[in-house]
Amino acid sequence: MIAAEPKACHTATVPDWQQELARAVRDPLELLALLGLTPPQIGPAVSAESLRAAAADFPLRVPRSFIARMRHGDPQDPLLRQVLSVPEELLAAADFVTDPLQETAARGAPGLLQKYQGRALLIATGTCAVHCRYCFRRHYDYSADQADDQPRWAAALQAIEADAQIEEIIVSGGDPLSLGNARLAQLLERLGAVQRLRRIRIHTRTPIVLPSRVDAGLCETLSRLRNRLVVVVHANHPAELDAPVLQALRLLGATATAVLNQSVLLAGVNDDAATLAELSRRLFDGGVLPYYLHQLDQVTGAAHFAVGDARAIQLHATLIATLPGYLVPRLVRELPGASGKTPIFNGTSGDPLKA
Ligand SMILES: *Cc1c(COP(=O)(O)O)cnc(C)c1O
Ligand code: SF4
């Protein structure tokens, strides 16, 4: 008889996506080197020191699978522009402030923002898989919420359970999918138990920048909420949607009632009609419908991404003239104090291109 083999010890394995996240690039010079670029190619006055100074203000963070989708040797690459810290961020710009949406004032319970009727936004964590240079929460003080510590989550959850007006929870951040599956399941289970909630929505950019995050454990957790679940992802350029991302989006689609996308209109990234139209088409290839195209929130450090309203309206009109209606995102801006996202249009009726 053969003696039983001793059982292999169960080492807790770190999921692939967490290992990838741990290996994310955090230094602008490493990022440029990976793409075969040098600082002066980014701009005439750009140096190693100035790139690092901008990253000291808001840390650079990019998963390698996102870098792999950038064009080697192209300083204008639209994916690179979204994540590279540049000295322009440190220039002061009129009307660009640290809390453009006055969110600090909208805070109810710690970690809970209530601005619109029937909906409340839960800051599940302050962490993101990528740092987007235009992020309107780049100066948000998450430490005041610390929603990812247990007692604070409990306060937000109690507020949700107690408020009969809330029919939808938006789980946001930061990025809620930067939480591990066990933590996320804990949160979603608690929300799912509130029968009054008709919809549970997850706002996340992680499936776009790190598609391996959509693993079996996540799909299983999300599927339990399928009939009430809405997932809103965030992609800005069609080159973000390569085959692994489309696959991840299809998997997400099988767990939810709807998967939608929001984009931010960004100068030098997606401010042309052909790019935006192709983004909508590729989203559809992944089973995702466009939701919002946001005008930039005027946050300190992001002024170089601004696109004027006249240009935005023109781009949007071209999308209407190019795509079926369900592939045209709503062009909106967030105004502090407004009762919802504010649509941007030229106010005239008739053919949108001729108006
Ligand atoms: C954007 C936002 C929402 C969601 O708005 P929708 O128009 O429903 O997508 C909800 N709460 C807050 C605080 C928001 O900023
Ligand atoms: S993923 Fe979203 S919250 Fe995180 S940095 Fe990007 S825009 Fe901001």
Side-chain angles (χ1 to χ4, degrees):
M1 255 185 97
I2 301 162
E5 288 277 320
K7 289 239 162 60
C9 49
H10 283 273
T11 45
T13 54
V14 178
D16 289 352
W17 67 270
Q18 282 179 346
Q19 293 181 32
E20 270 191 64
L21 211 46
R23 293 177 48 246
V25 171
R26 290 151 196 280
D27 176 33
L29 295 179
E30 185 186 356
L31 174 56
L32 291 186
L34 285 168
L35 296 166
L37 292 168
T38 59
Q41 288 178 280
I42 299 302
V46 175
S47 64
E49 298 72 45
S50 65
L51 292 169
R52 281 190 173 136
D57 186 53
F58 176 49
L60 181 141
R61 183 172 204 182
V62 202
R64 287 167 199 268
S65 76
F66 194 69
I67 299 170
R69 286 169 253 166
M70 298 173 186
R71 286 185 303 254
H72 195 84
D74 181 2
Q76 313 292 341
D77 180 88
L79 277 58
L80 175 63
R81 185 167 165 83
Q82 294 179 58
V83 297
L84 177 67
S85 56
V86 292
E88 283 156 295
E89 294 174 27
L90 301 174
L91 302 174
D95 301 328
F96 282 72
V97 297
T98 55
D99 181 14
L101 306 178
Q102 296 166 25
E103 290 205 312
T104 310
R107 222 178 248 151
L112 200 63
L113 298 179
Q114 277 178 277
K115 291 198 269 196
Y116 306 147
Q117 184 163 347
R119 289 152 286 168
L121 185 148
L122 175 71
I123 302 211
T125 172
T127 306
C128 295
V130 67
H131 286 178
C132 313
R133 307 313 298 180
Y134 52 83
C135 180
F136 70 97
R137 293 211 181 103
R138 56 180 286 165
H139 306 284
Y140 188 88
D141 181 10
Y142 290 106
S143 68
D145 290 312
Q146 288 177 11
D148 41 2
D149 90 40
Q150 299 274 9
R152 300 281 190 132
W153 255 7
L157 285 164
Q158 268 169 24
I160 292 163
E161 283 159 352
D163 187 343
Q165 303 294 318
I166 302 175
E167 65 169 45
E168 175 169 1
I169 289 297
I170 297 153
V171 183
S172 182
D175 192 317
L177 294 195
S178 51
L179 296 169
N181 287 338
R183 294 296 319 280
L184 195 67
Q186 225 173 24
L187 176 63
L188 294 179
E189 216 166 278
R190 186 83 186 269
L191 290 172
V194 184
Q195 295 304 321
R196 169 180 24 88
L197 296 178
R198 306 274 300 262
R199 298 173 304 280
I200 296 167
R201 193 196 316 182
I202 296 179
H203 276 187
T204 177
R205 182 146 160 75
T206 305
I208 304 296
V209 297
L210 192 71
S212 60
R213 174 67 190 92
V214 184
D215 60 10
L218 179 69
C219 290
E220 193 194 311
T221 298
L222 297 183
S223 297
R224 287 187 213 124
L225 291 171
R226 182 181 282 116
N227 292 341
R228 289 188 284 168
L229 186 67
V230 181
V231 179
V232 181
V233 295
H234 169 181
N236 300 312
H237 190 282
E240 293 171 44
L241 306 176
D242 64 356
V245 173
L246 293 179
Q247 167 71 11
L249 293 173
R250 286 282 177 193
L251 289 172
L252 275 181
T255 73
T257 294
V259 184
L260 307 172
N261 179 68
Q262 47 186 347
S263 306
V264 182
L265 184 57
L266 299 166
V269 174
N270 60 7
D271 58 338
D272 78 86
T275 300
L276 290 170
E278 188 55 19
L279 173 62
S280 279
R281 293 188 191 101
R282 286 191 71 77
L283 286 166
F284 182 83
D285 292 342
V288 178
L289 294 178
Y291 180 36
Y292 283 143
L293 175 61
H294 291 270
Q295 264 295 37
L296 183 76
D297 295 313
Q298 300 200 317
V299 67
T300 307
H304 56 291
F305 286 114
V307 176
D309 275 2
R311 175 78 181 137
I313 289 166
Q314 186 188 44
L315 289 168
H316 193 239
T318 306
L319 292 183
I320 291 171
T322 310
L323 294 168
Y326 59 87
L327 290 186
V328 180
R330 270 158 266 186
L331 177 64
V332 294
R333 148 172 304 117
E334 188 159 347
L335 294 172
S339 53
K341 310 293 186 237
T342 304
I344 302 172
F345 51 90
N346 56 19
T348 55
S349 54
D351 188 316
L353 271 182
K354 289 175 189 142

